[in-house]
Amino acid sequence: MTIDEFNFAGKKAIVRVDFNVPLDENGNVTDDTRIRGALPTLKKILADGGALIMMSHMGKPKGKVNAKLSLKQIVPNVSKALGVDVKFAPDCGKADAEAAALKPGEALLLENLRFYPEEEGKPVGVEKGTPEYDAAKAEMKDRQKEFAKKLASYAEVYVNDAFGTAHRKHASTAVIADYFDKDHKMLGYLMEKEVKAIDNVLKNAQHPFTAIIGGSKVSSKLGVIKNLLDKVDNLIIGGGMGYTFIKAQGGHIGDSLHEDDLMPEALNVIKTAKEKGVNLSLSVATVCGQEFKNDTPRKVFPIDQIPDGWEGMDASEESLDNWKKIILSSKTILWNGPVGVFELENFSHGTGEIAKAVAEATQKNGAYSLVGGGDSVAAINKFGLADKVSYVSTGGGAMLEAIEGKVLPGVAAIKG
């Protein structure tokens, strides 16, 4: 069942949204992107004449009530965005009365799901690897089912529109789906768009297909890189992870970030790329700093000849020129991760140039571009280019796991 096919008239719908929005010290929302992202789904339910129950997590309260992470703080923002006075249930596990009283066209927000340890399903206060932990885990699994059943009892329809948590098998993202038949559970509009965007690059990519993978560590993206080697024509590896590849080949990288234990894997990636005919493009020169701070002295060195006392912190113009040529000749582009220390203004240039090149390839050459991951999204937004790429993913971790070829529990629970 798709959300477009379903008529919510006279039905109560419980929707898993991702309202894990940033707050300032006074509890004010500083970025409402995630709230706005859920609006098409939420407004469709209300417009049909359905009653809307929203549930979300915020932060990491680790199964304990924490006033600083209460969703009550965002009720005014959600009310304003929806155009409806949103009611609030102060305990998501005991919201029977509030849910029962809800009328068509009304909306209710439940308190933070993660105030209950059952949401994440992790035993609390027991050490991993002990017999006690195994017993506690089995007991918690039963408790998680009961918690999911309680959430399901509030409504007749379940909608999952929280892609940012789709890679977690939590009570509200996957287990709850067991309590609805196939005609009464569905993905929301945002989830549908995310799944389609990933399918576009992994299953329906036009060639040449280029993946730009950046960020600090090889270890966090190794599975992604390996899976992409079967799919891409070009693989650009930038950012901190590139130095592991250079050192593995005998280069001198000074004090640059790297992972010695991942060097055999890096060599294996280089070898596999060659065997599969993938053009693996690493940085050729790098902008280095003497200290990890914005106003440190800067100097450009060849990537494999960085002196001691200097560390690579941004892509050089020479590297960027190489990468831009590849990007601008591509028909499908996947970008995840910065190619420099993007959070420091003096070392953000390379990531900004990649953002501009991806936008240009999309706008002028008709390429399909998918951008995901915190810093890549921040770069696209910083330069006002979000509407110049094909799709900006809302879920960094979920997107990475999908690209790695893993099944996302939040999607599988509905689509099978």
Side-chain angles (χ1 to χ4, degrees), residues 133-174:
Y133 182 85
D134 293 337
K137 198 175 173 186
E139 189 219 343
M140 180 56 84
K141 205 168 182 184
D142 291 337
R143 282 169 54 190
Q144 187 183 46
K145 282 180 186 171
E146 283 306 309
F147 182 61
K149 190 178 179 182
K150 168 58 85 175
L151 295 172
S153 72
Y154 301 149
E156 297 133 286
V157 191
Y158 168 63
V159 183
N160 190 349
D161 210 24
F163 183 73
T165 57
H167 58 313
R168 308 283 187 211
K169 194 171 183 178
H170 291 172
S172 68
T173 61

Side-chain angles (χ1 to χ4, degrees), residues 324 327-328 333 354-367 385 388-389:
K324 282 177 195 172
I327 292 166
L328 291 173
I333 302 161
I354 294 291
K356 289 172 193 169
V358 172
E360 188 182 334
T362 311
Q363 293 298 309
K364 289 188 181 171
N365 305 343
L385 299 169
K388 302 282 190 290
V389 297

Side-chain angles (χ1 to χ4, degrees), residues 294-330:
N294 192 50
D295 55 0
T296 188
R298 286 184 294 169
K299 203 168 177 183
V300 178
F301 294 103
I303 190 84
D304 56 355
Q305 295 169 43
I306 303 171
D308 291 342
W310 290 84
E311 60 181 305
M313 290 173 73
D314 199 10
S316 66
E317 291 302 334
E318 193 185 349
S319 301
L320 291 167
D321 286 345
N322 290 345
W323 293 343
K324 282 177 195 172
K325 283 187 191 111
I326 295 169
I327 292 166
L328 291 173
S329 67
S330 303

